[in-house]
Amino acid sequence: MKIKEICLALCFILGFSQTAFPQKVISGYIRDKDTGQPLPAANIQIEGTLKGTISNDQGAYILKLDDLPAAILVTYIGYASEKRFIDVNSGENQLIMLTPVIYQLEPIVVTDEDPAVRIMREVIRRKQEWRAGLKTFQAEAYTRLVLENDTSITSIMESISLAYWDKEKGIRELIQSRRQTSNIAENDNFASVGIITNLYDDDIEIAGFKLIGVTHPDALEHYDFRLVGQRQRDDKIVYDISVNPKSKLQPTFIGRVAVLDEEFALLEVDLKPGEAVMFPMPIKDFNLHYKQQFNNFGTAFWLPVDVRVTGSIKIGFIGLQFPSIIIKRISRLTDYHVNVPLPDSLYQEEESTMIDSSLITLKADSIFTANPEVVPFSEQEEYAYGKLDSTMTLEKAYQPSGPLARFVKVESGESEEKKDSNKLTSGLSPVIGFDRVDELTVGLKKSISLGLVNFGVYGGYKTGRKDWFYGGELKLSIGKPKQWQTLLQFSENSDTRYHSPLYPHLFTSIHTLLGYRDYFDYYRNRKWQLDLSYGFSQINTRISVGLNTETHHNLKKSTDFNILGRDITQRDNPPIQEGRMRSLEIKVNTDEEYIPMGIVGQNHWQFLAEFSSPNFLDSQFDFTRLEATIDIRIFTFLRRRLLPNTLDIHLTAGTSQGDLPPQRFGMMDGALQIFGPFGAIRSLIGKAYEGEKYLGVCWEHNFRTVPLEILGLRALARRNIGFILYGSSAKSWIRQETLQNLTFEPVFSETFHHEIGLAINGILDLFRLDFTQRLDKSQFYVGFSFSRFF
């Protein structure tokens, strides 16, 4: 049902009593009767319903009463509750003064067990009883997100939504309206109650961590609960209990909770994530407090009435620092409907937050007017709403500082001339490289996207051979998400004799320019390729069938140049088997891009088969080759963390039949001198193993910062310094008959190459230092690579 229809129905609906009157909106303040001080987050309930609201930090509130007369009940820990009757003649402004209740502390009997342990044990037991009967709920939600920098408010975002919870299916939110300051586009408004952070849950997900809740069945094993005080609400005692983690490795909370005596239920919590909640770069500091209140509205179920988050997040890394992002978020939940059927359509999509398209197109102010009981703005927020305009963007509010800040673009209005200029240069990138055959390669590449069609061309010049290179591709994508893809490519260029999944030509160019062994061998390749693929989104798999037509020619070395002036003679470029190759290629792989160098962990696989035969399209080659590459990530320890300990495995293997030419040999990467990323054999320096058959496995266990945390070195742990244990094994095979026909000496291993090592990860945020011991030979190596971030 649309929210507008709901509001009209509530305005005119007739109850069983003929004395019911239309709705009334009341507002005012909740204050301390003795001091006049405001009482923030006071709980205001419409008696006999599951509806209500809370006051803001200044004690101000707004509440809509659908039927009159009505009774509102105002509660606050440490104060006597106040009930007020509202009828059609009552004023719209209602100032409510609460009387403090002085509690006479009773003597506490000293035992081996802190009283808080007994209290929390009973809280956990009772929760298990009433939670067993809670199957679903629906609630109206209002959320406001205020962002600030070090000097002022930078943006305000609001949303009105319906929140749904199903014990089996999870959480969904239907956004009905959004409102924001003028410097934020509606699509950039991310205010929502989100996953309905319920600190009464067993497990609480915050920023990717799964924290152990204070009422988890095993909470007594993970928390040290201590009774630190007692207050009173009406005639009942409220226990104030401190919460501290017993383990500093598991993600837990620190703070306090308030428990209502006799009911043994949480009334409110004030918690923040403990020391184990640490983030990788670029997050330098994550300091958020979570406050929440609960009410049973006279039922058996204790439900959240709000979520209040305050704190700051600091982002930056070496050479680039951003101002702190100060966050203030408040979500208010009301009008609960418990154990009701929820629409099946909510769970047909994977997204937990959805937009109600039937209402979101309406003017935001009309929806907010129909739902006036939002949590009132503070004076500072009111001022910011009127002041912030479209020119005061978030990019300007959070301008970075540091040596690298000049490279960070801050968006601003652009002239039409500049926009036209950007269109011309968009998709334009340089092509540059250096090797012992082509010497300097310089050129340009232009990519153009026209909806379903992507087009690209490139070209340039090679100084060593005094020759041009060029090529292009056309890709057509059909269906969602890009189910069918057709790719047509042409190139007239140099090609490497074996293809590295780790090192682009620019990387090896630097290696060669510094006077080290050129990593690749080369040949001239004139190539046409037609590829047709289909993606199965349900199983994240893509199948491709390609037809290749290639003409291969030998190339000779043209230079020994290096920028350091070292007296180095590069090896000759070995000849290949020349001729016309026509082949059929079938590939099955995970339908997502492979990310090399071990920067992130991933589950990825690819199987490839290539067939070439004189009987197939008149090819001058006769072979079959099969290749497989598999990457697996396994979570090992501390799985509740955003970044648990992980075991990453990279397996690569290949085999062949027939007369496999050397330009189709399989390969396993080594290190570029001291640079050896994950997937490379780090004690194989400046070269790669190649062969007609090959088998290699690399593995890493990332202990992250846990060893430092165990040793109490948290200053280093907070800098994301961690430890990785790793190893590799590899072997390749070349038949004796093939070796006799080769005119060069290939790099392959007659026995298995084994190594093991230890890495220090997170140095200067970006790098890792690797210490590698080769096991089949007495050799030790020290190198580096990029940090494993995730």
Side-chain angles (χ1 to χ4, degrees):
M1 181 181 290
K2 298 181 180 180
I3 194 70
K4 184 177 180 180
E5 295 171 352
I6 295 174
C7 292
L8 290 173
L10 290 175
C11 286
F12 298 105
I13 189 170
L14 296 177
F16 291 103
S17 170
Q18 295 188 10
T19 58
F21 286 88
Q23 66 182 14
K24 177 189 282 287
V25 177
I26 62 172
S27 62
Y29 290 87
I30 314 294
R31 298 185 183 276
D32 183 301
K33 187 174 183 179
D34 292 347
T35 66
Q37 292 296 313
L39 298 179
N43 202 327
I44 306 120
Q45 178 193 350
I46 303 174
E47 195 171 49
T49 73
L50 279 72
K51 295 188 67 173
T53 190
I54 60 171
S55 60
N56 70 4
D57 289 345
Q58 287 74 45
Y61 73 93
I62 301 173
L63 181 63
K64 183 177 69 173
L65 304 172
D66 295 322
D67 296 300
L68 298 176
I72 61 171
L73 181 66
V74 183
T75 57
Y76 202 87
I77 297 178
Y79 291 79
S81 298
E82 175 78 9
K83 182 184 291 187
R84 182 162 298 187
F85 292 93
I86 307 295
D87 58 26
V88 68
N89 297 316
S90 301
E92 293 182 352
N93 190 285
Q94 295 287 329
L95 174 64
I96 300 174
M97 310 295 285
L98 298 188
T99 303
V101 176
I102 299 175
Y103 176 72
Q104 300 296 328
L105 186 64
E106 297 179 358
I108 298 176
V109 179
V110 179
T111 64
D112 293 338
E113 184 179 77
D114 191 283
V117 176
R118 174 188 61 82
I119 295 169
M120 291 305 298
R121 184 181 292 116
E122 185 63 14
V123 170
I124 294 168
R125 187 189 70 80
R126 300 246 185 138
K127 170 195 161 182
Q128 291 174 329
E129 288 182 353
W130 61 257
R131 265 294 176 99
L134 184 61
K135 307 301 182 184
T136 66
F137 68 68
Q138 171 186 325
E140 295 179 3
Y142 164 77
T143 298
R144 180 164 69 243
L145 178 64
V146 180
L147 300 182
E148 302 179 30
N149 58 17
D150 296 328
T151 59
S152 62
I153 291 176
T154 60
S155 66
I156 300 175
M157 294 166 261
E158 299 174 275
S159 72
I160 290 176
S161 61
L162 292 176
Y164 302 89
W165 176 85
D166 184 289
K167 189 174 186 177
E168 303 297 331
K169 299 178 182 178
I171 296 164
R172 292 293 185 269
E173 181 179 12
L174 189 62
I175 304 288
Q176 297 182 306
S177 186
R178 295 180 293 195
R179 187 171 66 179
Q180 57 280 325
T181 45
S182 299
N183 62 336
I184 299 291
E186 183 177 338
N187 291 337
D188 295 331
N189 181 337
F190 50 89
S192 67
V193 73
I195 61 169
I196 315 179
T197 302
N198 187 349
L199 297 172
Y200 223 133
D201 283 343
D202 293 345
D203 300 302
I204 294 96
E205 293 192 16
I206 294 177
F209 288 84
K210 184 181 285 187
L211 282 77
I212 301 171
V214 294
T215 60
H216 189 282
D218 301 324
L220 296 177
E221 299 177 11
H222 295 281
Y223 287 103
D224 180 18
F225 295 110
R226 295 187 180 275
L227 184 63
V228 294
Q230 298 180 23
R231 292 177 288 170
Q232 196 156 338
R233 196 182 78 170
D234 299 332
D235 59 346
K236 291 185 178 180
I237 299 172
V238 176
Y239 300 107
D240 289 319
I241 297 173
S242 67
V243 178
N244 287 285
K246 288 184 177 179
S247 169
K248 295 184 178 180
L249 297 180
Q250 290 287 0
T252 49
F253 289 103
I254 186 172
R256 70 168 187 83
V257 299
V259 176
L260 183 63
D261 193 18
E262 299 181 17
E263 297 280 354
F264 288 98
L266 294 182
L267 277 183
E268 65 178 16
V269 298
D270 183 357
L271 302 169
K272 69 174 183 178
E275 292 182 333
V277 178
M278 291 185 292
F279 291 85
M281 66 166 291
I283 297 178
K284 289 294 186 181
D285 186 41
F286 183 89
N287 182 26
L288 296 182
H289 277 76
Y290 294 78
K291 296 181 180 181
Q292 191 165 45
Q293 298 179 95
F294 305 93
N295 197 330
N296 68 345
F297 301 98
T299 70
F301 309 115
W302 289 85
L303 303 170
V305 298
D306 65 1
V307 182
R308 288 163 288 142
V309 184
T310 57
S312 62
I313 298 175
K314 182 72 174 178
I315 297 175
F317 48 86
I318 297 296
L320 188 67
Q321 301 295 325
F322 289 85
S324 293
I325 303 173
I326 301 171
I327 297 172
K328 181 179 178 182
R329 187 195 115 179
I330 184 167
S331 293
R332 184 229 56 209
L333 297 158
T334 186
D335 197 15
Y336 275 96
H337 297 270
V338 176
N339 289 338
V340 296
L342 302 183
D344 292 334
S345 59
L346 291 171
Y347 296 93
Q348 292 175 357
E349 302 291 337
E350 293 185 4
E351 294 293 329
S352 60
T353 301
M354 295 164 284
I355 304 296
D356 188 340
S357 57
S358 65
L359 290 177
I360 203 71
T361 55
L362 297 177
K363 191 175 180 180
D365 287 343
S366 65
I367 302 293
F368 278 82
T369 300
N371 294 267
E373 66 269 52
V374 301
V375 179
F377 284 170
S378 67
E379 291 183 2
Q380 185 184 16
E381 291 165 349
E382 286 276 11
Y383 177 75
Y385 230 121
K387 177 184 176 184
L388 291 171
D389 59 33
S390 59
T391 65
M392 305 171 75
T393 63
L394 293 182
E395 289 81 359
K396 291 181 179 179
Y398 297 100
Q399 291 191 62
S401 60
L404 299 179
R406 69 184 68 180
F407 302 108
V408 178
K409 179 182 177 181
V410 178
E411 294 185 4
S412 59
E414 295 180 344
S415 64
E416 292 300 322
E417 292 80 2
K418 190 171 183 179
K419 288 180 180 179
D420 291 338
S421 175
N422 288 341
K423 289 180 181 179
L424 292 174
T425 58
S426 176
L428 197 63
S429 59
V431 178
I432 188 168
F434 181 88
D435 56 66
R436 73 187 191 282
V437 173
D438 293 330
E439 199 176 62
L440 180 63
T441 297
V442 290
L444 288 174
K445 181 178 181 179
K446 174 70 174 179
S447 299
I448 302 172
S449 179
L450 301 173
L452 300 177
V453 179
N454 291 299
F455 177 73
V457 293
Y458 66 89
Y461 188 73
K462 298 177 181 292
T463 61
R465 296 191 293 108
K466 297 180 175 57
D467 194 11
W468 297 91
F469 68 94
Y470 47 88
E473 68 175 32
L474 179 68
K475 179 185 285 188
L476 175 64
S477 301
I478 302 175
K480 292 184 179 181
K482 298 182 179 180
Q483 280 185 314
W484 288 98
Q485 289 187 345
T486 302
L487 175 66
L488 177 63
Q489 285 183 320
F490 169 77
S491 64
E492 177 79 38
N493 201 356
S494 301
D495 204 349
T496 57
R497 194 167 56 78
Y498 40 80
H499 293 173
S500 167
L502 290 180
Y503 305 128
H505 191 217
L506 183 61
F507 267 57
T508 58
S509 297
I510 297 172
H511 186 259
T512 308
L513 278 170
L514 292 176
Y516 295 110
R517 181 183 187 272
D518 194 340
Y519 190 75
F520 291 114
D521 297 329
Y522 307 88
Y523 67 98
R524 185 74 170 182
N525 190 2
R526 181 183 179 88
K527 179 178 180 179
W528 284 92
Q529 179 181 5
L530 177 63
D531 184 272
L532 178 65
S533 69
Y534 182 82
F536 297 86
S537 58
Q538 298 87 348
I539 57 175
N540 194 30
T541 299
R542 180 166 291 274
I543 298 178
S544 306
V545 178
L547 183 64
N548 303 316
T549 299
E550 306 176 31
T551 304
H552 299 174
H553 295 288
N554 287 315
L555 293 175
K556 293 184 178 180
K557 183 182 78 170
S558 64
T559 184
D560 292 312
F561 175 80
N562 65 84
I563 59 175
L564 300 181
R566 300 172 62 187
D567 186 16
I568 298 294
T569 300
Q570 294 282 0
R571 71 191 187 282
D572 288 334
N573 188 54
I576 53 121
Q577 183 178 338
E578 294 184 310
R580 181 180 64 255
M581 178 184 292
R582 290 173 177 166
S583 65
L584 176 68
E585 191 173 276
I586 300 174
K587 184 166 60 176
V588 184
N589 60 277
T590 310
D591 195 10
E592 56 189 23
E593 291 293 329
Y594 178 73
I595 303 174
M597 299 195 182
I599 296 174
V600 299
Q602 53 198 318
N603 290 296
H604 189 279
W605 51 267
Q606 175 176 294
F607 299 99
L608 181 145
E610 185 180 19
F611 310 91
S612 182
S613 170
N615 299 323
F616 182 73
L617 297 178
D618 195 28
S619 177
Q620 294 176 337
F621 295 83
D622 188 6
F623 67 87
T624 298
R625 69 183 182 102
L626 305 174
E627 292 184 353
T629 303
I630 301 173
D631 283 83
I632 301 172
R633 160 156 284 194
I634 302 170
F635 297 119
T636 55
F637 311 117
L638 302 173
R639 297 185 183 184
R640 287 178 170 271
R641 291 192 171 196
L642 170 65
L643 300 178
N645 287 188
T646 55
L647 175 64
D648 290 284
I649 302 172
H650 174 78
L651 175 67
T652 181
T655 187
S656 64
Q657 289 183 340
D659 297 323
L660 188 69
Q663 62 266 36
R664 281 297 197 266
F665 279 2
M667 61 88 68
M668 294 170 291
D669 279 301
L672 293 181
Q673 297 310 120
I674 61 173
F675 180 77
F678 178 66
I681 304 164
R682 293 182 172 94
S683 54
L684 179 64
I685 306 301
K687 59 187 74 172
Y689 283 139
E690 60 179 314
E692 296 169 301
K693 301 179 181 180
Y694 61 96
L695 174 64
V697 60
C698 301
W699 59 268
E700 287 189 347
H701 190 278
N702 192 347
F703 292 95
R704 303 198 187 275
T705 60
V706 172
L708 295 176
E709 294 176 56
I710 293 174
L711 295 173
L713 301 175
R714 288 203 163 265
L716 289 175
R718 282 192 290 269
R719 292 178 178 270
N720 283 304
I721 302 297
F723 293 91
I724 299 173
L725 182 67
Y726 62 86
S728 300
S729 296
K731 188 181 188 308
S732 61
W733 294 264
I734 301 178
R735 294 177 300 164
Q736 190 63 36
E737 178 185 351
T738 303
L739 285 173
Q740 293 174 353
N741 293 328
L742 293 177
T743 59
F744 64 96
E745 185 175 343
V747 179
F748 72 105
S749 176
E750 296 183 355
T751 61
F752 267 98
H753 180 136
H754 299 293
E755 66 183 18
I756 194 167
L758 181 69
I760 303 175
N761 191 54
I763 298 174
L764 299 177
D765 293 331
L766 299 174
F767 304 104
R768 56 183 275 179
L769 193 61
D770 300 313
F771 302 91
T772 307
Q773 176 65 53
R774 183 167 177 177
L775 299 178
D776 56 309
K777 293 183 180 180
S778 182
Q779 296 174 341
F780 183 76
Y781 301 87
V782 178
F784 82 100
S785 60
F786 296 122
S787 286
R788 184 176 280 280
F789 298 119
F790 303 105

